[in-house]
Structures are given as C-alpha cells and as structure tokens.
Amino acid sequence: MVHVLDTQQLARRGIIASTAVEADDGLVLFDTGPESTFANVAEQLQEAGFAANDVRHVFLSHIHFDHAGAAWRFAELGATVYVHPRGAPHLIDPTKLINSARRIYGDEMQRLWGQFVPIAKQSVTVLHDMDVVRVGPFEVRAIATPGHANHHNIYQWEDNVFGGDVAGVRLGGGPPVPPFVPPELHIESWRESIGKIRALKAKRLYLPHFGPIEGSVSAHLDALEERICRWAIWFRDRIRAGHNEQQLISTFTEQVADELREAGATEDEIRDYECADPSFMAVGAAVRYWQKYHPEALSRVQSENGEL
C-alpha cells in the first residue's frame, strides 16, 4: 500500500509530499520533506498505523532541503538513506549545502527548512544509474535523471515511479510545470530524463509536488516537456533583448500566473505553485543556463522556428 504524506510545510497543504510504501520489513520512504515538517510526517505515519522508526529505507530523489531535509532524522532512527553518488558527500558533510542555501534564504533558513545535521557514513548508500535494491517483496530501481539537478534519481518499483522534481510540479487542478532552479538546470539533460521516464511505461507516477498524478502519465510528460522547451526559449529571447534579472522576475511571474490560470488553476493554487517553485529561482537558473551552455545563442539571430 502507498501512503502520500502531506508535510504541510508552513501549514500549507498540498505542496510538499513524502511518499511511503509498505514493505515486509517496515516502510520505504521516497523523499522526506524538510526537517521543519518531521513532526507532521511522523503524525501522519501514526495515523496510518506506523511510527517514524518503522521507516527502514529512505530513497532521496535529490538533496534539496524540501526533499531531503528530514533524512537525518530517519537515519538516526535506523533507516538507510539511498542517494545519487553526487549527493552522498553533502549528506555526510552538509557544510557546503547549508552555506549555499543560506545565500538564497538567509535568515529564513530555520523557519523554512529546520535543521540539517550530518548523516553517519554507514547510514548512507550510494545508488548509481540502474542500481537495484530489494526491499521486502519488491525491488526499487534507481535511474539517474539530471536536468533539474545533476544529483537526481527517480525510482521505479513494480508499475510505479517516484519522479522527483524532474517529473514536474503539479498542484491541485493545475498543469505540470518544470521547477527551474540554479545552479544545475540543464535543458537537454532534462529532456533526456523525461525520455527515460517515458520508457518505463509506468501506470502510476508520484510527485513530491504533489502526490500521484491523475490521468495519463504520457500526457503529463508531454505537457511538461513542451513547457520546458517553451520556457527556455522565452528566457533566451528576453535575455537576448537585454532584459535584466529584475525585469525577468516581474514578467515571468505574471507569465506563469496567466498560464496557470488559463490551464484551470485557482488563485490559491497559483499562490501554491509560486511557493513550490518560486519565479525568482527560475530566472536565476535560466540566465545561468543560457550564459554557461549557450552564450552564442544570446547574440545570434533567432532561428525561424525558435527551437532550441
């Protein structure tokens, strides 16, 4: 049985999820949410008939605080934490991770994410692309899926996939959107990762933002990839036209709100999308992507079809 646990970060529902799956030897958890919401997750586990120390396996899609912040709490209770090889060193020694996040969030770090404590090396297991872990009656396969972050894995078990952020953000009645964040946004890799998810032909796709998608997995991925490409081109054209980051933030925030509204999202859901996927971070990520990987595209004449 699968349990989608709402972390209720900052008392907001339906934004950050942790996904728990029952196994013979306890619970398997896909992402943990931030440490600031550990008590909320523990309470929901209790309501489902479990305790936090019943979690024996924690599979992290990546190490951003909204996904991995509470991993150390479960490790201290005896869980094994599985993570991409590039993420493991930052769980064992999170100094660089914390300092990087502090530059973005400043004095809001504690309120947003809580504490982040080193995890003992013996509690961390590295999973490379296509590694398989047997947990009770089923196997969990890790699949390396960069694009959102270069230390990102998705996980497949039976006909299910936990997609992490590379599978998009989809809240309430809104559409799937790609969470562009610095410093590792890479459009080409993201599209390849979506291809990997498609090839799995999963019947059920679970998102950390938020829960199982309704309807066709293929249609979800198609809509996500279309928006990745369109947003990337949108940024390219405006950077080329000389818009600075402050102008881009204002314009992009309005652009996204209009898109979500047209796709059926409510005003509350539009605010939730902005909470889950802040526009200012997308701007910084896109500017860095174009300047680092395709600087020539910012000065040459746009192609007729505007494709990447």
Side-chain angles (χ1 to χ4, degrees), residues 104-228:
I104 298 173
Y105 299 107
D107 295 339
E108 291 290 285
M109 280 282 290
Q110 178 67 32
R111 184 178 75 90
L112 289 171
W113 313 122
Q115 292 181 288
F116 201 87
V117 172
I119 299 176
K121 187 175 182 179
Q122 61 268 26
S123 296
V124 177
T125 296
V126 166
L127 292 182
H128 296 87
D129 188 32
M130 302 305 287
D131 280 352
V132 173
V133 179
R134 174 160 287 281
V135 288
F138 56 89
E139 294 180 335
V140 177
R141 183 183 305 276
I143 301 169
T145 42
H148 170 79
N150 65 19
H151 60 279
H152 193 288
N153 282 335
I154 62 168
Y155 298 101
Q156 176 193 27
W157 73 101
E158 298 175 339
D159 292 330
N160 309 286
V161 168
F162 181 79
D165 271 354
V166 80
V169 172
R170 191 169 193 171
L171 307 181
V177 304
F180 285 11
V181 298
E184 297 168 357
L185 172 68
H186 191 262
I187 301 300
E188 293 82 357
S189 296
W190 201 324
R191 296 182 70 185
E192 290 174 3
S193 294
I194 289 174
K196 291 182 179 181
I197 301 174
R198 280 199 185 97
L200 299 174
K201 300 186 184 302
K203 293 182 179 177
R204 204 70 162 156
L205 175 63
Y206 293 88
L207 305 178
H209 310 288
F210 181 90
I213 69 158
E214 301 298 330
S216 164
V217 172
S218 178
H220 170 94
L221 296 174
D222 288 347
L224 176 65
E225 185 172 18
E226 185 277 333
R227 189 165 273 109
I228 289 170

Side-chain angles (χ1 to χ4, degrees), residues 15-296:
I15 297 177
I16 303 176
S18 176
T19 301
V21 181
E22 296 181 25
D24 291 346
D25 62 343
L27 291 176
V28 178
L29 205 62
F30 294 95
D31 283 358
T32 66
E35 191 275 338
S36 58
T37 66
F38 174 76
N40 296 339
V41 172
E43 181 179 355
Q44 288 179 61
L45 287 172
Q46 187 173 22
E47 290 172 358
F50 301 96
N53 60 8
D54 289 325
V55 174
R56 311 315 302 159
H57 307 272
V58 172
F59 291 87
L60 298 178
S61 61
H62 58 305
I63 60 171
H64 294 164
F65 286 118
D66 54 334
H67 297 263
W72 68 271
R73 297 290 299 265
F74 290 101
E76 288 194 342
L77 294 172
T80 299
V81 179
Y82 303 89
V83 67
H84 188 284
R86 287 195 179 99
H90 300 288
L91 297 181
I92 297 166
D93 179 4
T95 304
K96 289 183 180 179
L97 181 64
I98 292 170
N99 290 340
S100 176
R102 188 171 283 121
R103 286 194 292 271
I104 298 173
Y105 299 107
D107 295 339
E108 291 290 285
M109 280 282 290
Q110 178 67 32
R111 184 178 75 90
L112 289 171
W113 313 122
Q115 292 181 288
F116 201 87
V117 172
I119 299 176
K121 187 175 182 179
Q122 61 268 26
S123 296
V124 177
T125 296
V126 166
L127 292 182
H128 296 87
D129 188 32
M130 302 305 287
D131 280 352
V132 173
V133 179
R134 174 160 287 281
V135 288
F138 56 89
E139 294 180 335
V140 177
R141 183 183 305 276
I143 301 169
T145 42
H148 170 79
N150 65 19
H151 60 279
H152 193 288
N153 282 335
I154 62 168
Y155 298 101
Q156 176 193 27
W157 73 101
E158 298 175 339
D159 292 330
N160 309 286
V161 168
F162 181 79
D165 271 354
V166 80
V169 172
R170 191 169 193 171
L171 307 181
V177 304
F180 285 11
V181 298
E184 297 168 357
L185 172 68
H186 191 262
I187 301 300
E188 293 82 357
S189 296
W190 201 324
R191 296 182 70 185
E192 290 174 3
S193 294
I194 289 174
K196 291 182 179 181
I197 301 174
R198 280 199 185 97
L200 299 174
K201 300 186 184 302
K203 293 182 179 177
R204 204 70 162 156
L205 175 63
Y206 293 88
L207 305 178
H209 310 288
F210 181 90
I213 69 158
E214 301 298 330
S216 164
V217 172
S218 178
H220 170 94
L221 296 174
D222 288 347
L224 176 65
E225 185 172 18
E226 185 277 333
R227 189 165 273 109
I228 289 170
C229 297
R230 181 160 46 80
W231 281 8
I233 293 169
W234 187 96
F235 278 114
R236 181 200 63 189
D237 292 348
R238 280 153 185 79
I239 297 167
R240 182 188 286 158
H243 295 200
N244 62 37
E245 290 201 25
Q246 206 54 48
Q247 290 172 314
L248 286 169
I249 290 171
S250 175
T251 309
F252 184 65
T253 301
E254 293 177 5
Q255 165 82 10
V256 172
D258 287 344
E259 280 191 35
L260 294 173
R261 201 172 284 117
E262 290 173 6
T266 67
E267 295 304 313
D268 283 344
E269 288 168 352
I270 291 170
R271 285 190 288 272
D272 288 345
Y273 270 96
E274 182 64 22
C275 180
D277 182 22
S279 299
F280 80 90
M281 295 186 72
V283 171
V287 169
R288 187 180 188 278
Y289 163 76
W290 283 110
Q291 291 178 344
K292 180 175 180 178
Y293 297 107
H294 301 289
E296 76 289 347

